[in-house]
Amino acid sequence: MSSLVKCPHCGLRPREEFTIRGEVATPRPDAGADEALWFDHVYLRDNPRGEHREYWHHSGGCRRWLVLTRNTLTHETSDVVDASTLKLGERA
Amino acid sequence: MTSFRIDGGTLIDRNDVRRFTFNGEVLTGFGGDTVASSLLANGKQLVGRSFKYHRPRGILTAGAAEPNALLTIGRDGRRDPNTRATMAELFDGLEARSQNCWPNVNFDIGAANGLLGPLLGAGFYYKTFMWPAAFWEKVYEPLIRKAAGLGRASYDPDPGYYEKCWAHCDLLVIGAGPAGLAAALTAGRAGVRVIIADEGVQLGGGLIAEGSPVGGKPADAVLADIIGELHALSNVEIKKRTTVFAAYDDQVFGAVERVQKHLPEGEINPHRAMERLWRIVARQVVLATGAEERPIVFGGNDRPGVMMAGAMRTYLNAYGVAPGKRVALFANNSQAYQTALDLEVRGIEVAAIIDPRTCPNIDYDGKARLIAGAMVRDTAGRKAIKSITVRHDDGRDEVIAVDALGVSGGYSPIVHLACHRGGKPVWSDAHVGFMPPENTDGMTPCGAVAGKAGIADCFADGGVAAVKALAELGVMGEAASLPGVEQTAETVDHIQPVWHVASTKGKAFVDFQNDVAASDITLAMREGYDHVELAKRYTTNGMATDQGKTSNVNAIGILAENKGVSPGEIGTTTFRPFYTPVSFGALVGASKGMDFQPVRKSPLHGWAGRNGAKFVETGLWYRSSWFPKDGETFWRDSVDREVNTVRTKVGICDVSTLGKIEIFGADAAEFLNRVYCNAFLKLPVGKARYGIMLREDGFVYDDGTTSCLGGNHYFMTTTTALAAGVLTHLEFCAQVLWPELDVRLASATDQWAQMAIAGPRSREVLSKIIDDDISNEAFPFLAAREVSMFGGRLKGRLFRISFSGELAYEIAVPAGYGESVADAVMAAGEEFGITPYGTETLGVMRIEKGHVTHAEINGTVTPADLGMGRMVSAKKDDFIGRVMNLREGLVDPDRPALVGIKPKSPSDKFATGSHILNPGEDVSLANDQGYVTSMCHSPTLGHAIGLALVKNGPKRHGEEVVIWNGLAGTTVTGILCNPAFVDPENEKLHA
Amino acid sequence: MRDYPLENRGAFPPHVAAGAGASISLAPVKGGFVIHLLGDAKSDEAALKKALAKIAPELGADVRKSAPNQWFWVGDADVSSDRLTEIQAGLPSQFALADQTHGRVRMRLSGPSSRTVLAKGTMVDLSADLFAIGQSAMTQIGHIGAMITRIEDDSFELIVLRSFAGSLWDELNHMAAEFR
Ligand SMILES: [Zn+2]
């Protein structure tokens, strides 16, 4: 029916406002990086029982990409941050 | 017929007489009645037939758990099958019908199934219908469906309006019995936002059926005071007729409110929802859902006239209906004695109370004969109970004549909502029931669901629960109390578990709705299905629409007894939404018919309509697909004319649905250079460029043009299909991959009405409305810039780009002016014979020109496959898809690549999706050369043409192949060719 | 040049009139402007409002935040394309401007039942003590994305993509019908 996600920009919103892209993969390799790194980045995904980090896009709200840490077993969402912080560091 | 209506009844209004029909017979009841109470009042004990054996069944409960009395109510589009008679409110003109019986409820041919009983035992689906497999579809399934179907859904559309809503509160109180009312009062007085929801017509729960005074005051007066105060509190929202059916993650609760289901057709407001689906967001929850009285499993326990003892009390006190004239009670607990007292007060003979406990230890001072240490082992009577057989503790049997039997096997807390999020209930020997899980985060159980009994204890517990929930919210509260009630020391009733009466002879039912008997459960155990989840599926116990509300715990008890363990060791099956059935209407809400999904309309929709367009749904958009003229009866008549007109004269097409994105920022050029596989860094101001976006895995994602409109300002177009996808992708690139770049994206799809003006006369047409010089020299192919229009009255963006292959422009104007501009283009083009054209013509012309769309960009192609390998920059360090595009499999020269295809004989036709084979080779995967991606009739060439992805295709122009259509079973000889059927040298584009 | 008629058509069909009732009214907002302002990573609302007050004081500074560093600037005056070019030129370089006057449509839902109607579409809690006058939220009303701004006590302005305006209008009318 629904569940809620706390967008760091918009506050508590229903799951329907979000589009889920999947696991936060390894960082995008440098252009000259080894092909194996690229294969991991493009194809390698975990399917853990427990804590999982995913890209969620607030497509029905602020249109920001978020990184959501949730537990696949308990469904508990422990952290939601703007995805730009993966690279920029500080919390947007 | 005898009336069973007696005095009293707190819920009914005797001045409000309501007529209804039951299986065609006209009966009457009162306002406030349920269908069940009015049927009982009319002496209708037999209301339906059971699912498997078609046994006569009566009304077992007075509430949500009813397994037997499922009726089809209403007619035509308003017909609801499987409606619990115990929940359906009586209205004037209501039509109710029994289910599972043919030709009628009194004489049922299917009852012969009873004779087949041995064949229909546990696992019969698995055993009987195993073989031969071909029989499933033609014999077994229709047979089962016909014999065992529940009510049938209507084929007519439901004329009612349904909707979904959100609600928010600090505290959600689920259930408005004494505990829930106390919790709502406590929290309401503390000033927080409260929602109290109850599935009943009236708040009150157990208080409604309470025959005895509470604190010296009549129970209904006490209840009226509480309800009055709650109504007066503006921070308390009361939701009656509202079943909270699910607890979802993050404290979202699903509930369904039956808004107008209780009204006769003439009183239904067509603008108000019939049912409303609520999603309630609650910070804290008080769970006051009560407990379900359990039946006892003994022979003939399903005979009409056997009823839950508590339900008898409800019918008696709330509806003024006597369950019978001479009633016996069979109970293993003390609460049921209250029913005996209430029956006696109303002058109904209580023939006996049969109590399996040898020493009941209760202070019952009624007149009824108490038979301790005894069990009911059987009942008799054809369509209604006539007598019971009691097995005394000394082994002696005694037959007692009765016309109703009240049963109480203990109480099962209604823990569903506490378990929907994965919690497991905990067995309590003291309560002889499964209690809510210990850790119910954000939810406080109280009252009967927490094992409390009696009005006073439940009320007190509700107040305490609310104070606890308030503390979690950081609010101080004081527990509400009942005036005049002294809190006594809590006593736990001594309940003696009776899972199955061992001395039983006949069929003893556990699950009434699915016709599962005790013997089925023991059979399942013998056959190895003794795990609770397996036993459930093997016997189907608890799998009916009532989800085992009255049967699951007894089934677990029987499993436990037979294995010699505690029911706690057996455990329950998993609790999942929904608690009670929810109609499809409520789940669908308003999204049906034309409101199934939103409609997107182009700013030129009205213009297209006025020009006679036929529209086609593409995604949410309504696009104009062709524009028939007088005399054109077949779509291709119009399309052929449109194509010919554009190729020889001029046409106008609405392309507003293309995705449009404004791109700003100091690093916009660098950004574009990284998202496109071709170079964009040096795109000059005033120029457009065709670009291909790859996915990171190296395949083509989308194509389109991007124009540079100013220093750090670009305007991108995407395909209609991927407009949203591309924006989302760009946002991912900008926000996640390269947040250090200064790039800002604004969706501008809706801001612009955009139209393509194509054909050799297009420049002449546009020159009449555009002020700027748009000669070939001043505005060459791929020019893109803002232009002044209509003598300076409007500004637009003009792009010299072409999808059709003709001399062509796209002009974008602010959406509101779109229709005027399109009208002006039509007027300006009149002298040149201009035609509007739609997506069909667009498609034909792009195939003639060999331009690709998502028919070709299908997720498996690289730019090289599309003949655009040279566009992929070898100089750029990095762009999306660069590395993966170079991997071995994607640079294999043998990969299927774009090629044109035409029939050898011009009169032959072929279909999209056909596969390509070499002449003389067998049809096999190994011999597959590729497939046709697009196909059309080319009016320009006068025969069918197509585009195909064929192995090594570009090197095979002129080769003869077989076009194989496996679906139609046809083959056509084709010739591979240059995909640019029209103007391969691009002379028209640059004219 | 021939004198071609130019008409700026609204997104609503011409026969649609504002519905008014005892506890609810829905009306299109005609005219005015919606301008999308896109700041760089370091931009802030105060700087934006200051800049707007300097460049275009006549247009007010009703800016509604839609995302980090992004706002919709909304007003009831009509802005010519020349004036827009001037404003664009006057804006500090940290802000970009995209005219959305034609791409985003405004409508107003007012009356004591307005929250009840909107709760049929959005999960955002619009209760008076949590959603202040002037506050905005980008959200979905049913399946349609919209920006909701509280204008007055019981009055909300909705901004929706033009192509969806007809559908949202119809849906709101259905949702509001029971209060008419
Ligand atoms: Zn957001």
Side-chain angles (χ1 to χ4, degrees):
Chain A
M1 200 66 47
S2 197
S3 53
L4 305 176
V5 171
K6 193 162 191 176
C7 172
H9 310 296
C10 306
L12 217 53
R13 294 302 180 91
R15 191 188 53 200
E16 300 91 286
E17 287 191 4
F18 297 84
T19 311
I20 306 160
R21 183 183 163 112
E23 192 193 24
V24 175
T26 56
R28 188 170 186 271
D30 291 335
D34 190 76
E35 208 180 39
L37 283 177
W38 275 100
F39 273 92
D40 283 359
H41 172 70
V42 174
Y43 292 113
L44 193 70
R45 299 290 184 273
D46 279 338
N47 183 20
R49 179 183 191 269
E51 200 155 271
H52 196 41
R53 285 204 313 160
E54 292 168 328
Y55 288 120
W56 285 48
H57 185 232
H58 194 185
S59 44
C62 62
R63 299 200 61 88
R64 292 295 299 185
W65 280 95
L66 311 172
V67 171
L68 189 135
T69 308
R70 70 181 185 97
N71 189 307
T72 59
L73 191 66
T74 64
H75 300 183
E76 189 199 349
T77 303
S78 52
D79 195 31
V80 190
V81 295
D82 191 281
S84 67
T85 59
L86 286 183
K87 210 169 174 191
L88 297 182
E90 89 275 13
R91 297 211 151 193
Chain B
M1 181 195 313
T2 333
S3 171
F4 286 78
R5 189 75 73 173
I6 55 171
D7 287 346
T10 51
L11 286 181
I12 57 166
D13 175 3
R14 285 168 198 266
N15 297 317
D16 178 7
V17 178
R18 297 182 177 183
R19 248 162 282 276
F20 69 107
T21 65
F22 175 60
N23 293 327
E25 184 184 352
V26 179
L27 302 171
T28 59
F30 296 125
D33 259 329
T34 61
V35 172
S37 66
S38 51
L39 285 173
L40 287 170
N42 282 284
K44 300 285 178 195
Q45 279 184 318
L46 169 62
V47 297
R49 292 274 174 169
S50 75
F51 182 62
K52 205 154 79 180
Y53 303 117
H54 288 232
R55 288 168 70 102
R57 289 282 164 82
I59 294 159
L60 185 73
T61 71
E66 179 60 34
N68 285 343
L70 303 185
L71 305 178
T72 295
I73 291 182
R75 63 181 146 100
D76 304 331
R78 297 197 195 271
R79 191 173 84 196
D80 285 325
N82 307 333
T83 304
R84 291 157 295 166
T86 50
M87 298 300 286
E89 293 173 53
L90 187 69
F91 56 78
D92 211 43
L94 179 143
E95 293 176 28
R97 296 202 162 267
S98 299
Q99 300 177 164
N100 287 347
C101 48
W102 186 84
N104 63 55
V105 70
N106 287 305
F107 175 78
D108 181 274
I109 287 177
N113 277 5
L115 305 174
L116 302 174
L119 286 179
L120 297 176
F124 86 103
Y125 288 106
Y126 307 104
K127 291 170 185 167
T128 314
F129 302 121
M130 288 270 285
W131 183 91
F135 269 40
W136 254 115
E137 217 172 290
K138 292 202 169 81
V139 182
Y140 297 145
E141 197 186 319
L143 197 78
I144 294 169
R145 286 196 185 283
K146 198 170 174 192
L150 286 169
R152 285 166 54 175
S154 174
Y155 281 99
D156 300 317
D158 186 339
Y161 176 67
Y162 292 80
E163 66 189 12
K164 302 184 194 182
C165 306
W166 286 92
H168 306 263
C169 61
D170 296 316
L171 180 70
L172 170 63
V173 180
I174 305 171
L181 290 171
L185 267 187
T186 302
R189 286 171 185 165
V192 302
R193 280 167 90 186
V194 178
I195 292 176
I196 177 166
D198 192 278
E199 63 187 348
V201 179
Q202 298 290 342
L203 304 186
L207 263 171
I208 295 172
E210 182 59 45
S212 314
V214 175
K217 252 174 109 173
D220 54 345
V222 173
L223 181 57
D225 287 349
I226 296 170
I227 293 173
E229 184 178 347
L230 286 176
H231 274 291
L233 289 164
S234 64
N235 55 322
V236 177
E237 195 180 327
I238 297 169
K239 292 193 189 300
K240 294 187 289 191
R241 298 187 173 99
T242 302
T243 305
V244 179
F245 59 73
Y248 296 106
D249 292 331
D250 312 301
Q251 295 283 68
V252 179
F253 290 80
V256 64
E257 179 184 4
R258 290 166 291 278
V259 185
Q260 297 195 96
K261 282 280 181 184
H262 60 289
L263 296 179
E265 176 120 27
E267 288 175 34
I268 291 170
N269 176 348
H271 301 304
R272 180 167 295 148
M274 294 301 295
E275 292 184 323
R276 220 172 256 146
L277 189 88
W278 288 97
R279 284 153 295 177
I280 303 171
V281 182
R283 293 173 66 202
Q284 284 287 317
V285 176
V286 165
L287 188 73
T289 42
E292 201 68 67
E293 197 171 24
R294 280 196 297 271
I296 300 178
V297 181
F298 58 91
N301 63 341
D302 64 329
R303 210 170 298 284
V306 179
M307 189 187 277
M308 303 313 307
M312 279 188 171
R313 201 167 176 231
T314 299
Y315 288 118
L316 201 63
N317 294 332
Y319 299 102
V321 174
K325 309 280 183 202
R326 187 175 148 84
V327 182
L329 291 164
F330 177 23
N332 66 350
N333 63 80
S334 306
Q335 282 196 57
Y337 285 76
Q338 201 60 48
T339 302
L341 289 172
D342 287 1
L343 285 165
E344 286 169 15
V345 167
R346 304 303 186 89
I348 296 162
E349 184 187 354
V350 180
I353 302 174
I354 299 99
D355 194 326
R357 299 175 294 184
T358 43
C359 205
N361 190 26
I362 46 107
D363 43 3
Y364 169 69
D365 56 0
K367 288 175 288 188
R369 176 183 162 209
L370 177 54
I371 312 178
M375 307 251 202
V376 175
R377 62 177 298 207
D378 206 357
T379 68
R382 264 186 69 232
K383 289 172 200 159
I385 191 167
K386 293 276 190 304
S387 68
I388 57 172
T389 306
V390 176
R391 169 68 54 100
H392 288 268
D393 54 356
D394 57 6
R396 176 174 51 95
D397 278 350
E398 178 188 355
V399 175
I400 301 173
V402 296
D403 62 355
L405 173 67
V407 175
S408 182
Y411 295 84
S412 300
I414 300 173
V415 298
H416 299 63
L417 295 171
C419 301
H420 279 175
R421 290 184 293 218
K424 289 281 179 198
V426 182
W427 177 256
S428 161
D429 279 328
H431 296 94
V432 194
F434 284 96
M435 311 305 291
E438 271 149 27
N439 183 10
T440 48
D441 195 21
M443 180 187 278
T444 312
C446 64
V449 71
K452 301 289 185 291
I455 305 290
D457 281 359
C458 286
F459 195 93
D461 199 38
V464 171
V467 170
K468 184 173 164 246
L470 286 169
E472 293 288 329
L473 296 168
V475 176
M476 289 276 287
E478 193 186 332
S481 58
L482 278 173
V485 174
E486 273 179 49
Q487 194 58 40
T488 51
E490 203 177 294
T491 52
V492 176
D493 187 18
H494 165 66
I495 302 172
Q496 178 182 325
V498 180
W499 302 122
H500 175 220
V501 176
S503 58
T504 276
K505 287 188 303 193
K507 267 203 181 303
F509 284 91
V510 183
D511 184 325
F512 294 92
Q513 202 183 129
N514 261 355
D515 265 354
V516 179
S519 54
D520 292 320
I521 293 173
T522 49
L523 177 65
M525 290 188 68
R526 282 202 306 279
E527 296 187 351
Y529 299 96
D530 61 347
H531 186 280
V532 66
E533 296 280 8
L534 293 177
K536 166 180 169 169
R537 282 152 185 88
Y538 197 62
T539 62
T540 72
N541 192 91
M543 291 174 69
T545 61
D546 67 342
Q547 293 283 290
K549 288 183 179 58
T550 55
S551 67
N552 282 344
V553 177
N554 280 338
I556 291 163
I558 292 170
L559 284 170
E561 204 168 59
N562 280 281
K563 289 176 92 169
V565 299
S566 151
E569 279 180 58
I570 298 292
T572 61
T573 53
T574 309
F575 289 89
R576 294 188 180 91
F578 306 118
Y579 167 64
T580 48
V582 178
S583 72
F584 281 113
L587 293 172
V588 166
S591 303
K592 61 178 183 178
M594 282 307 290
D595 298 320
F596 174 65
Q597 58 183 11
V599 169
R600 291 187 84 175
K601 284 187 179 160
S602 151
L604 297 177
H605 188 89
W607 167 83
R610 278 187 278 113
N611 282 277
K614 298 287 178 197
F615 291 98
V616 61
E617 285 181 60
T618 49
L620 300 179
W621 288 104
Y622 276 42
R623 295 187 72 181
S624 38
S625 52
W626 69 89
F627 292 80
K629 275 194 168 174
D630 288 348
E632 293 173 350
T633 51
F634 183 52
W635 66 274
R636 244 199 55 204
D637 297 344
S638 312
V639 173
D640 287 359
R641 173 188 47 77
E642 289 172 16
V643 172
N644 286 329
T645 308
V646 176
R647 293 254 181 253
T648 57
K649 299 170 187 165
V650 60
I652 172 174
C653 179
D654 179 10
V655 293
S656 305
T657 59
L658 294 177
K660 306 179 213 54
I661 302 165
E662 309 261 5
I663 302 170
F664 303 96
D667 300 314
E670 171 64 24
F671 179 76
L672 288 168
N673 211 39
R674 294 186 193 182
V675 296
Y676 279 124
C677 73
N678 48 322
F680 263 86
L681 210 47
K682 297 201 176 84
L683 180 67
V685 175
K687 277 287 181 188
R689 182 168 292 171
Y690 176 72
I692 298 178
M693 274 182 210
L694 302 186
R695 310 189 309 211
E696 197 72 279
D697 64 5
F699 293 102
V700 179
Y701 179 52
D702 199 40
D703 67 347
T705 57
T706 290
S707 309
C708 183
L709 298 178
N712 294 321
H713 181 197
Y714 294 82
F715 184 69
M716 177 186 284
T717 60
T718 75
T719 59
T720 300
L722 281 188
V726 168
L727 180 62
T728 303
H729 169 68
L730 296 184
E731 285 166 336
F732 185 82
C733 295
Q735 297 170 19
V736 185
L737 299 183
W738 307 303
E740 67 280 5
L741 296 185
D742 175 20
V743 53
R744 307 166 221 166
L745 306 161
S747 169
T749 304
D750 289 56
Q751 169 70 11
W752 302 98
Q754 193 154 323
M755 50 213 104
I757 321 292
R761 315 302 294 268
S762 55
R763 184 183 293 127
E764 290 163 81
V765 174
L766 282 174
S767 297
K768 291 170 75 175
I769 60 169
I770 290 174
D771 308 333
D772 304 39
D773 179 4
I774 57 167
S775 65
N776 198 33
E777 297 70 38
F779 206 86
F781 185 56
L782 294 178
R785 62 172 178 262
E786 188 176 87
V787 291
S788 169
M789 304 171 74
F790 304 105
R793 286 190 291 151
L794 189 67
K795 278 179 185 159
R797 290 175 178 177
L798 186 67
F799 309 89
R800 186 156 164 205
I801 50 180
S802 175
F803 198 42
S804 58
E806 296 299 320
L807 167 67
Y809 301 82
E810 287 185 14
I811 177 93
V813 297
Y817 292 103
E819 290 201 36
S820 289
V821 173
D823 284 339
V825 171
M826 286 293 286
E830 199 179 352
E831 61 173 303
F832 306 105
I834 194 167
T835 182
Y837 65 98
T839 53
E840 288 294 335
T841 291
L842 205 64
V844 169
M845 290 197 296
R846 70 97 192 165
I847 296 172
E848 287 183 336
K849 179 66 183 169
H851 281 159
V852 296
T853 64
H854 283 283
E856 286 74 35
I857 305 175
N858 60 12
T860 72
V861 299
T862 65
D865 298 342
L866 299 176
M868 295 186 274
R870 262 186 254 161
M871 278 180 67
V872 182
S873 170
K875 289 183 192 153
K876 288 199 281 184
D877 282 349
D878 191 13
F879 57 85
I880 298 282
R882 189 191 76 94
V883 174
M884 286 299 186
N885 182 247
L886 295 173
R887 59 189 152 141
E888 203 180 334
L890 269 61
V891 295
D892 181 351
D894 227 21
R895 284 177 63 80
L898 188 74
V899 66
I901 188 164
K902 58 189 176 188
K904 188 178 179 190
S905 161
S907 58
D908 278 349
K909 296 176 173 65
F910 56 92
T912 301
S914 298
H915 277 251
I916 311 293
L917 296 160
N918 289 323
E921 289 188 352
D922 293 340
V923 177
S924 74
L925 198 56
N927 289 337
D928 186 25
Q929 298 298 303
Y931 55 95
V932 178
T933 53
S934 301
M935 177 273 161
C936 69
H937 171 80
S938 165
T940 310
L941 300 175
H943 57 76
I945 59 168
L947 300 176
L949 292 165
V950 177
K951 278 181 186 170
N952 217 2
K955 295 209 175 75
R956 295 167 69 176
H957 291 180
E959 213 178 292
E960 235 179 75
V961 293
V962 174
I963 307 172
W964 174 74
N965 182 339
L967 288 176
T970 56
T971 55
V972 168
T973 304
I975 297 171
L976 302 180
C977 58
N978 185 337
F981 292 92
V982 167
D983 190 26
E985 305 305 322
N986 287 336
E987 284 164 5
K988 289 172 164 235
L989 290 183
H990 296 277
Chain C
M1 182 170 287
R2 216 178 108 181
D3 194 20
Y4 296 99
L6 274 187
E7 185 198 346
N8 180 4
R9 282 175 211 247
F12 303 104
H15 63 269
V16 168
S23 68
I24 196 77
S25 81
L26 178 66
V29 178
K30 296 207 170 113
F33 64 91
V34 178
I35 293 169
H36 192 175
L37 293 158
L38 302 102
D40 66 11
K42 289 175 219 68
S43 57
D44 69 276
E45 194 165 312
L48 174 67
K49 283 187 167 172
K50 207 172 142 191
L52 295 179
K54 204 172 129 199
I55 312 160
E58 81 281 11
L59 296 179
D62 180 358
V63 293
R64 304 173 186 176
K65 186 168 181 163
S66 65
N69 308 316
Q70 294 197 25
W71 299 264
F72 286 115
W73 179 24
V74 180
D76 292 331
D78 287 332
V79 183
S80 70
S81 58
D82 290 339
R83 181 78 184 105
L84 203 65
T85 310
E86 279 172 31
I87 292 167
Q88 191 157 19
L91 267 181
S93 64
Q94 68 174 144
F95 295 104
L97 169 163
D99 185 20
Q100 289 283 336
T101 300
H102 291 257
R104 311 239 173 196
V105 171
R106 295 156 70 199
M107 53 183 107
R108 244 171 228 190
L109 187 70
S110 309
S113 298
S114 52
R115 283 181 188 81
T116 312
V117 171
L118 287 170
K120 299 180 186 188
T122 179
M123 174 267 166
V124 176
D125 188 350
L126 300 172
S127 52
D129 49 344
L130 296 175
F131 198 79
I133 292 173
Q135 199 169 330
S136 293
M138 288 293 292
T139 180
Q140 278 182 198
I141 298 177
H143 295 107
I144 301 175
M147 177 181 246
I148 301 177
T149 304
R150 186 171 167 207
I151 302 294
E152 290 159 29
D153 275 351
D154 292 334
S155 182
F156 296 87
E157 188 170 296
L158 313 177
I159 300 183
V160 63
L161 285 173
R162 183 190 184 96
S163 58
F164 282 109
S167 272
L168 183 60
W169 178 268
D170 288 345
E171 283 188 20
L172 288 168
N173 270 304
H174 290 160
M175 294 169 178
E178 66 172 312
F179 301 111
R180 294 247 160 91

